[in-house]
């Protein structure tokens, strides 16, 4: 082989080594980056719990509305009965 071939091979080796080091750094950063996220099964469990809580809140709001409608109907009935009592 000629001297040029050896020089080209040396350049390619250094480029390959720098690429390898760059890939190692990227993989290391990806590993540290992915440790901050939860797994799919954990996410499914958490989102399932959140959906249950949202349903409970909606049911509580409906029950609360029904309660206030009942209280207002009772108050109106009481007021009308009081007016009838005072009138008669």
């Amino acid at each position: 082989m000629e001297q040029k071939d050896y020089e080209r091979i040396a350049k390619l080796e250094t480029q390959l080594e720098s690429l390898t080091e760059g890939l190692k750094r990227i993989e290391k950063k990806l590993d540290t980056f992915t440790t901050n996220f939860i797994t799919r099964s954990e996410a499914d469990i958490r989102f399932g719990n959140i959906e249950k809580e949202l349903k409970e809140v909606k049911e509580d709001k409906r029950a609360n509305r029904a309660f206030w409608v009942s209280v207002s109907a009772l108050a109106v009935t009481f007021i009308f009965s009081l007016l009838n009592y005072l009138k008669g």
Side-chain angles (χ1 to χ4, degrees), residues 12-51:
L12 288 174
E13 285 177 347
T14 55
Q15 287 177 354
L16 184 62
E17 286 175 10
S18 66
L19 272 173
T20 305
E21 291 299 317
L23 285 175
K24 285 180 184 178
R25 285 194 307 261
I26 290 172
E27 286 176 351
K28 189 175 181 179
K29 286 181 181 180
L30 281 174
D31 288 341
T32 57
F33 183 70
T34 55
T35 57
N36 295 330
F37 295 101
I38 59 176
T39 61
R40 180 177 286 274
S41 59
E42 290 175 352
D44 289 340
I45 291 169
R46 287 187 184 180
F47 289 130
N49 290 339
I50 289 172
E51 287 177 1

Side-chain angles (χ1 to χ4, degrees), residues 47-83:
F47 289 130
N49 290 339
I50 289 172
E51 287 177 1
K52 288 178 186 176
E53 290 176 10
L54 286 174
K55 286 180 184 177
E56 289 175 3
V57 167
K58 285 181 182 178
E59 290 173 2
D60 288 344
K61 282 185 180 179
R62 288 181 188 143
N64 199 11
R65 287 180 190 155
F67 172 74
W68 285 112
V69 167
S70 299
V71 167
S72 62
L74 182 65
V76 168
T77 304
F78 178 74
I79 290 171
F80 281 126
S81 64
L82 184 64
L83 289 174

